[in-house]
Amino acid sequence: MGEVALDAAANRLDAVHVRLAPGDDIDTLRATFGDEPVVVDDCHHLYTRAIGGFEPIEQFLEVLAHVDTPVVTGWNSYAWAYLTAAQRIDREFPVRVEIESLTAGDLAELVLGRYDELPRFLPNDSGTDGLLSVRRYTLEWRDHTVSVPVPIPNPAAIVGFGGDGEVDPKEVVFERLAVVSDGNAGVATAIWESLRSTELRPSDIVRPETDLALNREEAFCLRIILAKECVEQSELAEIIDDGLDHILGRLVREGLVTVEEDIVSLKPTAVPTAVSETEQRRIL
């Protein structure tokens, strides 16, 4: 959804639109700034969580201080939270727009307007879902790790519970899609793509397993990938002291990331899992 907003900003301003990629630095941007407005997307590639890793952002801010034309920047929200805590970068941008989570209605409009061929929406089979499911969360206290069961309401079942039996399965599908994706348009689209078929039931949309029991190093590495969306493996090697191949192997096997050549990317469908696994360990 952030890309859509920045595309709209670039069109409205008739701006030069730049998208940064892993490995890009301030030199990639210097020649961009001139007399025209500029939109810079994926600014989270301008830092690393290593010694000297904030230097590109500091240089970027120095460049912005001497630019007279409008500049719009786009950041991953998890990178922004880290940079705000570590560098107080929020003070450098007095005007901020946060992209809020999409509702079920928003996702329905997005999907129904994007795809010409849609599945036949069917209700769940009788007895498929209960009102509650149980998810286990790993909690760390001192030197102990405890797996705690937590009851989770089932949105699809609750929507139809106590009703007259005339609930539109299409509405339930998008209600469930909004919950499972946390309203993230990219996650919702990836889930939809993975489920495209001639028929679709609410029970087909399942939140990925979150009881992975990642160790601290694995969760820390996952948080870096979450904040960067995609990152060079060589950059991770500068941050993770030992065992990076083992850590990436585990994350790949769990279906959280992909590794192609030197680029490690978070799977869009893994965003909710990555958020849960890292935030419950209070990794920023």
Side-chain angles (χ1 to χ4, degrees):
M1 198 64 187
E3 291 183 2
V4 174
L6 289 172
D7 285 341
N11 290 333
R12 178 69 63 87
L13 295 171
D14 194 21
V16 177
H17 195 174
V18 181
R19 286 190 172 93
L20 297 177
D24 288 346
D25 54 26
I26 187 59
D27 291 334
T28 306
L29 293 174
R30 289 189 189 279
T32 301
F33 295 100
D35 298 329
E36 298 176 303
V38 178
V39 173
V40 185
D41 199 358
D42 293 336
C43 289
H44 42 268
H45 291 303
L46 288 174
Y47 83 99
T48 60
R49 293 183 69 151
I51 296 175
F54 295 132
E55 184 176 344
I57 279 187
E58 292 170 353
Q59 293 176 349
F60 180 49
L61 295 176
E62 181 64 24
V63 170
L64 293 184
H66 298 88
V67 172
D68 294 328
T69 57
V71 178
V72 179
T73 59
W75 307 76
N76 177 296
S77 61
Y78 306 104
W80 181 266
Y82 169 73
L83 292 170
T84 296
Q87 288 290 99
R88 294 305 312 272
I89 194 172
D90 55 322
R91 295 182 298 186
E92 306 295 337
F93 296 89
V95 178
R96 298 187 297 276
V97 177
E98 295 185 16
I99 305 299
E100 297 184 357
S101 298
L102 299 183
T103 65
D106 294 330
L107 290 177
E109 183 178 353
L110 174 69
V111 170
L112 298 177
R114 178 176 294 179
Y115 297 96
D116 294 328
E117 296 183 6
L118 296 173
R120 187 159 61 100
F121 296 96
L122 301 176
N124 287 335
D125 294 330
S126 178
T128 298
D129 294 323
L131 291 177
L132 295 175
S133 59
V134 176
R135 188 174 302 136
R136 303 190 71 87
Y137 289 91
T138 301
L139 302 180
E140 296 180 359
W141 182 72
R142 295 184 179 177
D143 296 328
H144 302 282
T145 300
V146 180
S147 182
V148 180
V150 178
I152 304 296
N154 184 336
I158 291 174
V159 167
F161 183 71
D164 57 7
E166 297 299 326
V167 177
D168 186 347
K170 181 169 71 173
E171 293 182 6
V172 182
V173 163
F174 286 107
E175 289 285 351
R176 185 148 184 166
L177 184 62
V179 172
V180 171
S181 68
D182 290 333
N184 184 305
V187 176
T189 301
I191 292 173
W192 184 269
E193 285 286 347
S194 70
L195 295 173
R196 291 183 69 184
S197 63
T198 57
E199 298 179 348
L200 184 61
R201 290 179 167 85
S203 58
D204 294 331
I205 302 174
V206 181
R207 183 183 290 274
E209 179 61 54
T210 59
D211 187 19
L212 300 179
L214 300 179
N215 63 35
R216 186 75 180 180
E217 283 293 297
E218 291 167 342
F220 177 61
C221 183
L222 182 60
R223 185 69 182 194
I224 294 172
I225 302 169
L226 171 66
K228 302 298 284 287
E229 299 177 11
C230 58
V231 58
E232 291 181 320
Q233 190 167 341
S234 55
E235 178 179 325
L236 290 174
E238 296 179 7
I239 305 169
I240 307 298
D241 292 333
D242 191 27
L244 178 59
D245 289 341
H246 174 78
I247 291 172
L248 291 180
R250 169 79 194 280
L251 299 181
V252 169
R253 289 193 301 273
E254 296 291 354
L256 301 175
V257 307
T258 60
V259 180
E260 296 183 6
E261 297 181 352
D262 188 43
I263 302 298
V264 182
S265 302
L266 184 71
K267 288 187 175 182
T269 52
V271 170
T273 300
V275 173
S276 174
E277 286 288 327
T278 57
E279 291 190 349
Q280 68 180 329
R281 289 171 173 77
R282 299 183 180 179
I283 298 174
L284 185 62

